[in-house]
């Protein structure tokens, strides 16, 4: 075997990791931004102040759980019920973090803590794909995650300022953007072993939970 054949594959540079992270997140931003703008307007419509709306996005950073929280607040349900619903929606992130832990070997302890805060659905999918292609490094992860995080918060601000101009989102099909986006994420794993079996079991569990227990527990149990 020649020395060329036996040479190790070079590790991508810091700059390349950052560029790749930003490049990969741009299509996700295009799908998420309208949904984030609508959330800003939706929260104000449910009685939250601009500060409370922005604080929810900065601290919770989870689209589904934020929508569930604001919707329940608009129906005057007890605080414990709101907290339980947010936990039920976000509990899938525990599964995400456990699944992603084995590929975070190049992350320090403090980087792992920061990484898990940014661990939303598209971040999880992109990180797994990156880990099994060129390897997952902090520069790629945080370039992707921080860009998405800042775009979510920024779009919320646009919704707070101008969301009232949108009116009913379903008129423009904006209510379909996030479901379509999540469907694309799921089918990004279609080449994995036993994909159809896992997807079928997840759908069956989610439907059973939805009809027997109710929303939002079907999200976690399906996961």
């Amino acid at each position: 075997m020649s020395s060329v054949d036996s040479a190790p594959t070079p590790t991508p540079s810091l700059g390349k990791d950052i560029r790749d992270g930003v490049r990969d997140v741009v299509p996700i931003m295009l799908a998420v931004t309208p949904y984030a703008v609508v959330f800003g307007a939706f929260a104000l419509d449910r009685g939250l102040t601009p500060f409370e709306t922005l604080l929810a996005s900065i601290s919770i950073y989870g689209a589904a759980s934020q929508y569930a929280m604001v919707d329940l607040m608009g129906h005057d349900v007890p605080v414990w019920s709101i907290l339980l619903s947010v936990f039920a929606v976000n509990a899938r992130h525990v599964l995400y973090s456990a699944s992603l832990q084995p590929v975070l070997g190049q992350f320090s302890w403090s980087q792992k803590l920061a990484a898990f805060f940014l661990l939303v659905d598209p971040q999880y999918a992109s990180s797994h794909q990156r880990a099994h292609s060129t390897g997952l490094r902090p520069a790629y992860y945080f370039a992707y995650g921080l860009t998405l995080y800042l775009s979510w918060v920024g779009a919320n601000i646009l919704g707070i300022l101008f969301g009232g101009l949108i009116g009913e989102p379903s008129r423009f099909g904006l209510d379909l953007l996030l479901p379509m986006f999540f469907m694309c994420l799921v089918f990004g794993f279609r080449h994995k072993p036993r994909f159809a079996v896992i997807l079928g079991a997840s759908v069956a569990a989610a439907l059973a939970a939805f009809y027997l227990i109710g929303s939002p527990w079907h999200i976690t149990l399906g996961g």
Side-chain angles (χ1 to χ4, degrees):
M1 182 180 295
S2 68
S3 59
V4 174
D5 293 334
S6 60
T9 302
T11 300
S13 66
L14 176 68
K16 186 176 187 309
D17 272 342
I18 294 174
R19 290 193 300 272
D20 288 352
V22 174
R23 178 203 64 200
D24 291 348
V25 80
V26 168
I28 309 303
M29 289 170 54
L30 297 177
V32 170
T33 295
Y35 201 70
V37 171
V38 171
F39 173 77
F42 177 69
L44 293 185
D45 185 63
R46 287 297 189 273
L48 269 69
T49 66
F51 174 77
E52 291 168 340
T53 302
L54 194 57
L55 181 62
S57 288
I58 292 173
S59 58
I60 299 175
Y61 184 44
S65 56
Q66 287 179 226
Y67 269 95
M69 177 193 72
V70 171
D71 187 52
L72 291 172
M73 290 176 68
H75 290 86
D76 296 323
V77 300
V79 173
W80 66 264
S81 181
I82 297 175
L83 294 176
L84 187 62
S85 296
V86 171
F87 172 79
V89 173
N90 275 353
R92 72 191 187 282
H93 290 221
V94 177
L95 303 176
Y96 288 170
S97 60
S99 175
L100 206 59
Q101 166 63 23
V103 300
L104 298 182
Q106 300 189 44
F107 287 61
S108 67
W109 179 248
S110 59
Q111 287 174 331
K112 287 181 180 179
L113 291 178
F116 290 142
F117 173 75
L118 296 173
L119 188 54
V120 291
D121 302 271
Q123 180 83 61
Y124 172 76
S126 68
S127 296
H128 254 296
Q129 292 168 356
R130 183 74 172 187
H132 292 91
S133 57
T134 62
L136 181 63
R137 286 166 291 277
Y140 175 88
Y141 187 100
F142 288 110
Y144 187 107
L146 289 174
T147 302
L148 184 60
Y149 176 70
L150 293 175
S151 68
W152 171 262
V153 175
N156 281 172
I157 295 175
L158 291 177
I160 292 170
L161 296 175
F162 307 110
L165 302 176
I166 297 176
E168 179 54 49
S170 60
R171 286 190 304 156
F172 307 100
L174 297 179
D175 55 326
L176 296 177
L177 284 176
L178 209 64
M180 292 171 63
F181 157 68
F182 282 127
M183 183 174 65
C184 291
L185 280 184
V186 169
F187 278 90
F189 291 93
R190 64 188 180 279
H191 299 301
K192 296 289 185 179
R194 299 179 297 279
F195 169 79
V197 175
I198 295 170
L199 179 62
S202 177
V203 170
L207 289 174
F210 181 80
Y211 288 107
L212 297 177
I213 303 175
S215 177
W217 290 102
H218 66 294
I219 298 175
T220 295
L221 294 177

